[in-house]
């Protein structure tokens, strides 16, 4: 198991982490009382330790966005307390909002009872101090004036139903309100700071995770006090200078990520620029007009608006009070009635009045355009409270969690990228501005954060030699190459094929002529197409399924037999709703290879790129590594070896019921490592572990992904079983490494055993991470790090075997290195050989003539999941509203199964 030191109380780390132990209880080691045969049950795998550093490549000195953290108070302890908040009538306070205000007030009011201690509070149920509070259980009462809401506080609704304020609230004359809160603070655990020192020696423990969590909470609290929006480990200031519109009423808001990391050189603080999406603050109407892209409020689709606005927070003028939107009024402002209670003398009578009449004639507030528009409802379901829309402004820093459109995403990428030097300057400024040295909690832990970028030593690996057609070899320069005057390594022939055009405006005949000519130069013999099928104009407005169906009927009626290949012209460049149904029809129903294009600017380069994709799909190879051809890849060429790429893609955060899609690609035709095929399955939404690697459906049948891939390797590699299985797993965080090693790997081993009980291949498991926050810079150069740059020291893990690789040439923005974690290596690669293999796998991507930023099998898995995910397109209505977490109340929904691909294409690189 892990190299945890035994704790003083005798619970050592030989099993999965135990449940938390109540304070003052010394656990007994019960495991030893079991009969010895039970103890052999299951070995829990943990990530392997680093075996040595690599040395190949040219040395290069780099800077990284990690800052050294010195910890002096190593003997101290953090004390963890649980916090329970309730109103004076005993109802618990739900919602995140009031917490921080209440705890601040406790801290201010009862300073001496708390022995003057500073708090680190997470905004919910946990509070930490350095050293203990005077007692293990403390109770306080505090009074807060008007807890309507402030920035972090949309969810608290301090009034109970039927509270005396209801009538007044209706008229928005809100009296001065104050509220009492009861606060219970009770001791939960003691966390030794020594755990940080142990982790730096490579001995991580649960205490260490907790200690680091406390440090992160201190930084978050520091940001929260400055009114920041907090999103996990990032914080965003309310500063319009860091907002940039991406269209549709959505802004990119630039902020900072910060997290503490244990590294070989000690504790470091990793700070990076981070961007989140927020709703455009200001008048609600302006946001809706931008969101729906219409000219004026009278063209808005109000059903859609209601969905978009639900749960957003507004500030109403003239009272400047803050509310949460619960809905819209059924009728326009001038027709929407409500009951107004009026006092005349001692009696109280009520009149029915329109919202418009009330605001204009009773409150004397001028309304310019609201009379014909719905009102905003901020009340309870049974007791609506209406406010005319023009008096409502959206509060700043409210997250937008729906998926961005292609155009929004393109705009975001363009606006948020920064050149390396600009990024360094922004990070330095941020560190100065945050002034962590003055943070009292950090000072009491004896923590000081250095303001200089940590310097690391990198190495630049040389590019591998590539082979193309006619036996020609060459070395890529700066991570790229081209096919000018070169032939493809293994070109295919395109004989029986046709073109279908879904009303794209283009010179189809000219396009075909140029494609044939371009193919000829690259060595692909393309015959004349059988025909060009133009879409019948009467179907142009029909639903996508119908258009595809009709086009297929047309093709079938005219073609003598099934084509080998169909070239499909689509009218929109991105997100065409024909794409999914068209691919499904071709791949799942007929087994026809197809290439979609949206011909906008067609030139020689464009056609070459299209031909690279077509050639790979039809079974050709565009280029390959010289070491594959000669076979001389260390450890891989000697023994049959299969390489897997695994990825799971999820719906956007706003979609709660879209199945996740797991894709695994596998190499074929050993000793090649450039040809792959894919297996794709759906699974429950948001589940990261792949659950269909091994799927026993009867005594003799396994319908899992692995069986399919292993059988194909066997047939395509001359009836050889792989003796080595190298797995690249994408998209899992460090907290899930143990699951990959113990859950997924177990399924893969079971699938192998099910094929042959006596077969025990050796495994290598490597996780590839792209969404981390470590960046590298060349000191004194405005350029990104050169392609092939690798770092395996100083800021890498103190114990585990990880390294960073920038295989690609970063053309724009700042290069994002891929962080590879070698979790298991039963083959016994040397550090140099394994890094060399990973680097080489960045050069076998058939779709482009560049090195790519992550190994090709992982990219292919991503492409396969995305493409087949289009088979089950979900409409927008399945999205939940902007601020829901995205869990369905109904619990687990049955997951729709994907259709399997036809035999003719299931082993192809259809995803290219």
């Amino acid at each position: 198991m892990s190299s945890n030191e035994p704790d003083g109380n005798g619970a050592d780390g030989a099993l999965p982490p135990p449940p938390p132990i109540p304070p003052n209880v010394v656990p007994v080691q019960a495991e030893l009382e079991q009969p010895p045969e039970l103890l052999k049950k299951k070995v829990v795998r943990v990530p392997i330790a680093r075996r040595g550093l690599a040395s190949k490549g040219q040395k290069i000195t780099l800077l990284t966005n990690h800052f050294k953290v010195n910890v002096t108070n190593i003997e101290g302890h953090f004390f963890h307390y649980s916090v329970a908040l309730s109103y004076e009538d005993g109802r618990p306070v739900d919602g995140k909002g009031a917490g921080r205000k209440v705890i601040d007030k406790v801290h201010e009011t009862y300073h001496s009872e708390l022995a003057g201690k500073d708090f680190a509070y997470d905004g919910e149920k946990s509070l930490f101090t350095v050293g203990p509070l005077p007692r293990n259980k403390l109770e306080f009462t505090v009074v807060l004036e008007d807890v309507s809401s402030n920035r972090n506080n949309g969810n608290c609704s301090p009034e109970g139903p039927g509270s005396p304020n209801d009538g007044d609230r209706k008229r928005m004359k809100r009296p001065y309100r104050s509220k009492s809160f009861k606060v219970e603070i009770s001791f939960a655990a003691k966390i030794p700071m020594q755990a940080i020192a142990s982790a730096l020696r490579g001995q991580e423990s649960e205490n260490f995770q907790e200690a680091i969590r406390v440090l992160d909470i201190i930084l978050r609290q520091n940001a929260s006090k400055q009114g920041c929006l907090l999103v996990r480990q990032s914080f965003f200031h309310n500063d319009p200078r860091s907002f940039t519109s991406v269209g549709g009423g959505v802004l990119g808001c630039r902020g900072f990520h910060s997290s503490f990391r244990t590294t070989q050189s000690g504790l470091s603080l990793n700070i990076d620029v981070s961007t989140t999406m927020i709703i455009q603050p200001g008048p609600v109407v302006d946001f809706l007009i931008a969101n729906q892209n219409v000219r004026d409020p009278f063209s808005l689709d109000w059903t859609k608006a209601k969905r978009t606005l639900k749960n957003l927070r507004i500030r109403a003028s003239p009272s400047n009070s803050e509310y949460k939107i619960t809905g819209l009024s059924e009728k326009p402002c001038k027709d929407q009635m409500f009951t107004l209670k009026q006092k005349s003398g001692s009696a109280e009578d009520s009149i029915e009045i329109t919202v418009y009449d009330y605001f204009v004639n009773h409150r004397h507030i001028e309304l310019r355009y609201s009379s014909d528009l719905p009102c905003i409802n901020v009340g309870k379901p049974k007791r609506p409270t209406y406010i005319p829309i023009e008096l409502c402004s959206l509060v700043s820093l409210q997250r937008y969690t729906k998926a961005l459109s292609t155009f929004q995403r393109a705009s975001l990428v363009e606006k948020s990228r920064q050149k390396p030097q600009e990024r360094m300057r922004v990070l330095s400024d941020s560190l100065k501005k945050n002034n962590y040295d003055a943070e009292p909690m950090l000072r009491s832990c004896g923590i000081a954060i250095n303001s200089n970028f940590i310097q690391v030593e990198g190495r630049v690996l040389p590019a591998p030699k590539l082979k193309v057609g006619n036996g020609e070899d060459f070395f890529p320069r700066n991570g790229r190459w081209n096919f000018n005057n070169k032939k493809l390594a293994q070109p295919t022939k395109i004989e029986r094929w046709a073109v279908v055009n879904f009303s794209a405006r283009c010179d189809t005949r000219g396009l075909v002529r140029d494609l044939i000519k371009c193919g000829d130069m690259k060595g692909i013999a393309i015959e004349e197409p059988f025909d060009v099928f133009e879409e019948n104009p009467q179907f142009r407005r029909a639903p996508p399924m119908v258009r595809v169906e009709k086009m297929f009927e047309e093709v079938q009626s005219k073609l003598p037999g099934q084509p080998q290949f169909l070239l499909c012209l689509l009218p929109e460049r991105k997100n065409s709703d024909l794409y999914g149904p068209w691919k499904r029809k071709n791949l799942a129903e007929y087994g026809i290879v197809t290439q979609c294009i949206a011909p906008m600017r067609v030139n020689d380069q464009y056609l070459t790129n299209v031909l690279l994709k077509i050639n790979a799909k039809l079974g050709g190879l565009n280029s390959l590594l010289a070491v594959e051809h000669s076979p001389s890849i260390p450890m891989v060429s000697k023994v049959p070896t299969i390489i897997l790429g695994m990825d799971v893609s999820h719906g956007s955060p706003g979609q709660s019921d879209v199945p996740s899609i797991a894709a695994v690609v596998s190499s074929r035709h050993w000793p090649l490592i450039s040809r792959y095929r894919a297996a794709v399955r759906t699974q429950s939404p948001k589940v990261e572990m792949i659950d269909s690697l091994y799927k026993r459906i009867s005594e003799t049948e396994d319908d899992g992904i692995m069986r399919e891939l292993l059988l194909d390797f066997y047939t395509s590699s001359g009836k050889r079983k792989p003796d080595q299985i190298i797995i690249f797993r994408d998209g899992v965080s460090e907290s899930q490494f143990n699951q990959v090693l113990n859950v997924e790997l177990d399924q893969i081993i079971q699938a192998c055993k099910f094929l042959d009980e006596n077969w025990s291949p050796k495994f290598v498991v490597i996780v590839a991470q792209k969404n981390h926050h470590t960046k590298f810079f060349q000191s004194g150069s405005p350029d990104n790090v050169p392609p092939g740059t690798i770092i395996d020291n100083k800021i890498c893990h103190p114990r585990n075997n990880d390294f960073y690789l920038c295989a690609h040439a970063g053309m724009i923005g700042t290069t994002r290195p891929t962080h590879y974690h070698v979790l298991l290596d039963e083959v016994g690669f040397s550090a140099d050989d394994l890094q060399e293999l990973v680097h080489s796998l960045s050069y076998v991507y058939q779709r482009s003539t560049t090195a790519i930023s992550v190994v090709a099998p992982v990219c292919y898995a991503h492409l396969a999941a995305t493409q087949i995910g289009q088979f089950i397109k979900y409409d927008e209505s399945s999205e939940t509203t902007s601020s829901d977490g995205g869990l369905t109340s109904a619990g687990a929904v049955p997951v729709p199964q994907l259709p399997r691909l036809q035999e003719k294409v299931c082993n192809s690189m259809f995803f290219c």
Side-chain angles (χ1 to χ4, degrees):
M1 177 49 189
S2 69
S3 55
N4 291 356
E5 286 290 275
D7 292 337
N9 57 16
D12 90 16
L15 285 152
I21 296 161
N24 316 331
V25 172
V26 177
V28 190
Q29 245 181 345
E31 291 81 48
L32 303 177
E33 292 157 28
Q34 298 172 346
E37 62 271 17
L38 286 181
L39 288 177
K40 291 200 188 75
K41 208 171 116 221
K42 187 160 184 306
V43 182
V44 177
R45 300 184 195 92
V46 294
I48 61 167
R50 189 184 302 280
R51 293 185 184 141
L53 296 174
S55 58
K56 279 191 182 159
Q58 193 178 351
K59 293 209 172 8
I60 180 173
T61 301
L62 303 167
L63 295 174
T64 176
N65 57 340
H66 285 237
F67 300 87
K68 187 150 181 51
V69 178
N70 289 314
V71 189
T72 49
N73 180 9
I74 214 86
E75 297 309 311
H77 285 80
F78 289 120
F79 279 72
H80 176 189
Y81 294 88
S82 355
V83 175
L85 303 179
S86 53
Y87 298 111
E88 51 194 334
D89 61 5
R91 279 180 308 125
V93 176
D94 51 354
K96 296 188 187 148
R100 284 188 194 276
K101 285 186 173 174
V102 174
I103 293 296
D104 282 348
K105 187 77 177 182
V106 167
H107 190 246
E108 182 190 320
T109 318
Y110 298 99
H111 199 63
S112 53
E113 287 89 329
L114 296 164
K117 289 240 175 269
D118 287 307
F119 290 169
Y121 176 54
D122 73 349
E124 294 181 32
K125 296 198 163 63
S126 293
L127 180 150
F128 300 87
T129 56
V130 177
L133 292 173
R135 290 202 306 286
N136 275 353
K137 189 158 185 161
L138 295 152
E139 291 190 17
F140 301 107
T141 304
V142 289
V143 177
L144 283 192
E145 272 69 52
D146 185 24
V147 201
S148 60
S149 166
N150 79 336
R151 123 103 246 96
N152 292 326
N153 173 16
N155 313 0
C156 87
S157 153
E159 273 138 333
S163 70
N165 289 333
D166 264 15
D168 299 306
R169 202 162 160 240
K170 168 64 106 290
R171 291 198 297 278
M172 290 178 50
K173 291 193 177 119
R174 302 172 71 227
Y176 187 68
R177 293 208 314 268
S178 64
K179 253 197 149 21
S180 277
F181 292 91
K182 283 215 307 248
V183 182
E184 272 187 27
I185 298 176
S186 41
F187 173 78
K190 181 173 166 182
I191 306 158
M193 289 188 203
Q194 191 66 49
I196 296 176
S198 306
L200 295 172
R201 294 196 299 272
Q203 297 160 350
E204 284 198 19
S205 60
E206 201 128 327
N207 273 331
F208 158 70
Q209 299 299 343
E210 285 295 302
I212 290 292
R213 183 174 150 228
V214 180
L215 297 183
D216 283 330
I217 288 169
I218 295 173
L219 295 195
R220 282 172 61 89
Q221 172 173 281
N222 183 38
S224 168
K225 286 202 159 77
Q226 301 168 41
C228 288
L229 161 68
L230 304 176
V231 183
R232 292 188 294 279
Q233 302 271 35
S234 301
F235 47 90
F236 302 90
H237 288 270
N238 189 8
D239 175 3
R241 286 174 309 187
S242 52
F243 300 166
T244 165
S245 170
V246 298
V250 180
L251 309 181
C253 171
R254 185 176 282 171
F256 296 95
H257 161 94
S258 71
S259 60
F260 287 95
R261 319 272 314 163
T262 42
T263 69
Q264 292 165 24
S265 57
L267 194 62
S268 73
L269 178 64
N270 175 209
I271 302 186
D272 195 20
V273 176
S274 166
T275 304
T276 192
M277 307 287 67
I278 60 169
I279 301 270
Q280 168 187 315
V284 170
V285 166
D286 294 357
F287 163 69
L288 289 174
I289 288 172
N291 182 253
Q292 298 188 15
N293 195 16
V294 293
R295 302 239 319 264
D296 54 50
F298 305 104
S299 330
L300 288 166
D301 168 346
W302 290 100
T303 321
K304 200 171 162 191
K306 183 174 176 178
R307 255 205 336 257
T308 313
L309 292 175
K310 192 166 167 56
N311 290 331
L312 292 176
R313 297 193 316 278
I314 52 150
R315 189 160 272 130
S317 64
S319 67
N320 214 17
S321 305
E322 200 174 293
Y323 302 97
K324 187 166 170 186
I325 300 179
T326 51
L328 295 173
S329 61
E330 296 293 310
K331 302 186 176 132
C333 185
K334 65 175 191 324
D335 304 329
Q336 181 65 51
M337 308 292 285
F338 76 98
T339 311
L340 175 67
K341 295 192 176 74
Q342 284 184 313
K343 280 198 169 67
S344 51
S346 60
E348 193 184 79
D349 60 343
S350 43
I351 54 169
E352 291 292 309
I353 180 173
T354 68
V355 176
Y356 182 84
D357 183 17
Y358 169 71
F359 274 88
V360 173
N361 300 323
H362 287 244
R363 301 277 307 277
H364 307 300
I365 295 168
E366 186 197 356
L367 296 179
R368 300 195 318 282
Y369 58 80
S370 292
S371 66
D372 294 311
L373 303 176
C375 307
I376 298 283
N377 177 11
V378 297
K380 301 254 179 350
K382 297 262 188 303
R383 299 215 47 155
T385 302
Y386 297 121
I387 308 174
I389 199 159
E390 72 188 76
L391 301 180
C392 299
S393 272
L394 288 161
V395 173
S396 189
L397 292 186
Q398 299 191 71
R399 285 184 73 198
Y400 177 82
T401 56
K402 290 197 175 67
L404 295 181
S405 70
T406 315
F407 302 108
Q408 287 174 322
R409 181 167 287 127
S411 166
L412 172 69
V413 168
E414 189 187 339
K415 290 176 173 167
S416 59
R417 59 180 177 227
Q418 290 172 307
K419 286 268 175 242
Q421 298 213 293
E422 184 194 349
R423 189 175 282 252
M424 285 180 78
R425 184 183 55 75
V426 170
L427 294 177
S428 286
D429 291 351
S430 153
L431 200 56
K432 288 195 187 78
K433 201 165 93 189
N434 276 319
N435 188 14
Y436 288 133
D437 290 346
E439 163 62 50
M441 282 290 289
L442 289 180
R443 289 176 75 161
S444 51
C445 318
I447 282 182
I449 299 166
N450 191 315
S451 57
N452 298 324
F453 288 73
I454 288 181
Q455 187 171 315
V456 294
E457 180 113 310
R459 291 169 292 112
V460 182
L461 300 180
K465 183 158 70 170
L466 298 185
K467 263 198 142 18
V468 285
N470 295 345
E472 193 185 336
D473 292 359
F474 66 93
F475 285 101
R477 294 182 49 179
N478 196 25
R480 41 192 47 225
W481 63 96
N482 59 50
F483 277 106
N484 300 346
N485 314 320
K486 294 187 185 78
K487 298 261 194 281
L488 303 182
Q490 294 176 14
T492 45
K493 280 197 181 68
I494 306 178
E495 291 157 337
R496 306 182 316 284
W497 72 290
V499 182
V500 301
N501 181 8
F502 284 102
S503 310
R505 287 194 295 275
C506 97
D507 165 16
T508 320
R509 297 282 165 201
L511 177 74
V512 168
R513 187 188 61 235
D514 293 344
L515 191 69
I516 292 174
K517 195 170 98 206
C518 186
D520 184 52
M521 291 167 67
K522 305 285 170 271
I524 303 178
I526 308 176
E527 312 240 318
E528 285 292 324
F530 180 82
D531 203 348
V532 174
F533 297 94
E534 297 285 348
E535 182 174 39
N536 184 334
Q538 74 183 64
F539 299 125
R540 200 177 289 181
R541 296 262 171 277
M545 297 288 212
V546 176
R547 293 173 71 181
V548 167
E549 206 54 66
K550 295 291 180 197
M551 182 64 89
F552 249 89
E553 284 168 19
E554 171 89 352
V555 171
Q556 278 175 306
S557 66
K558 302 256 176 75
L559 285 186
Q562 184 163 317
Q564 175 198 11
F565 170 69
L566 286 175
L567 181 67
C568 168
L569 311 187
L570 295 174
E572 305 92 355
R573 197 161 141 237
K574 284 277 188 229
N575 279 15
S576 168
D577 50 9
L578 289 161
Y579 182 87
W582 174 257
K583 287 284 183 190
R584 181 175 181 147
K585 196 82 168 155
N586 279 272
L587 297 172
E589 289 178 36
Y590 289 96
I592 299 171
V593 172
T594 167
Q595 176 62 52
C596 295
I597 61 175
M600 301 285 182
R601 295 187 295 277
V602 176
N603 54 23
D604 194 50
Q605 179 66 60
Y606 179 84
L607 290 172
T608 302
N609 287 344
V610 168
L611 281 165
L612 292 179
K613 286 158 64 71
I614 295 171
N615 190 50
K617 287 177 183 179
L618 287 171
L621 266 182
N622 302 328
S623 60
L624 70 166
L625 301 166
V627 286
E628 283 181 89
H629 186 262
S630 62
S632 57
I633 306 167
M635 315 302 277
V636 173
S637 300
K638 291 191 183 65
V639 187
T641 302
I642 186 171
I643 296 178
L644 305 179
M646 304 181 8
D647 184 36
V648 178
S649 70
H650 308 289
S652 66
Q655 295 174 309
S656 55
D657 48 3
V658 176
S660 290
I661 293 176
V664 183
V665 304
S666 61
S667 61
R668 43 207 313 267
H669 291 267
W670 176 82
L672 292 184
I673 57 172
S674 288
R675 280 185 200 276
Y676 292 85
R677 53 100 70 207
V680 185
R681 305 276 196 279
T682 45
Q683 57 187 39
S684 305
K686 306 280 186 282
V687 170
E688 186 50 66
M689 289 298 123
I690 301 178
D691 65 10
S692 48
L693 293 164
Y694 173 63
K695 229 183 186 133
R696 195 110 164 242
I697 46 177
S698 74
E699 280 304 299
T700 54
E701 286 174 286
D702 161 20
D703 187 36
I705 290 176
M706 282 312 300
R707 180 185 179 90
E708 183 183 324
L709 301 178
L710 291 167
L711 289 174
D712 169 71
F713 180 88
Y714 183 76
T715 49
S716 70
S717 305
K719 300 231 151 86
R720 291 186 187 87
K721 286 191 206 103
D723 292 327
Q724 300 176 157
I725 298 181
I726 300 177
I727 300 165
F728 286 95
R729 179 66 161 95
D730 184 31
V732 291
S733 62
E734 287 167 47
S735 60
Q736 296 164 318
F737 287 177
N738 284 353
Q739 279 175 285
V740 171
L741 278 177
N742 294 293
V743 180
E744 288 185 340
L745 184 56
D746 267 359
Q747 280 193 52
I748 294 173
I749 292 170
Q750 279 177 295
C752 294
K753 292 287 182 206
F754 194 76
L755 278 164
D756 175 354
E757 188 56 46
N758 302 316
W759 170 40
S760 302
K762 292 178 171 166
F763 288 95
V764 176
V765 179
I766 301 175
V767 168
Q769 288 178 333
K770 288 275 290 188
N771 54 351
H772 56 83
H773 285 277
T774 296
K775 301 282 192 306
F776 297 103
F777 307 91
Q778 294 197 61
S779 48
S781 159
D783 297 331
N784 269 309
V785 298
T789 299
I790 201 156
I791 291 94
D792 63 0
N793 59 48
K794 205 144 182 194
I795 58 148
C796 289
H797 196 278
R799 172 190 171 274
N800 298 357
N801 185 355
D802 65 329
F803 59 89
Y804 292 90
L805 172 64
C806 304
H808 64 301
M811 291 288 129
I812 49 181
T814 307
T815 300
R816 173 178 289 191
T818 300
H819 192 183
Y820 291 101
H821 303 259
V822 184
L823 303 187
L824 180 67
D825 171 14
E826 298 178 338
V827 171
F829 277 94
S830 71
D832 275 314
D833 285 347
L834 192 58
Q835 291 177 11
E836 192 80 53
L837 175 66
V838 171
H839 185 226
S840 297
L841 283 169
S842 308
Y843 278 83
V844 300
Y845 189 58
Q846 299 296 307
R847 298 188 355 153
S848 73
T849 54
T850 61
I852 52 174
S853 64
V854 65
V855 290
V858 158
C859 265
Y860 289 149
H862 201 73
L863 290 171
T866 308
Q867 183 172 130
I868 293 203
Q870 306 266 351
F871 284 16
I872 43 173
K873 241 327 196 206
Y874 279 76
D875 56 357
E876 212 178 62
S877 61
S878 78
E879 297 213 357
T880 48
T881 48
S882 177
S883 50
D884 293 3
L887 286 171
T888 45
S889 51
V893 252
V895 175
Q897 291 304 303
L898 288 166
R900 297 291 164 92
L901 301 190
Q902 284 291 324
E903 214 143 289
K904 286 182 224 146
V905 290
C906 71
N907 293 329
S908 74
M909 292 181 64
F910 66 85
F911 41 80
C912 253

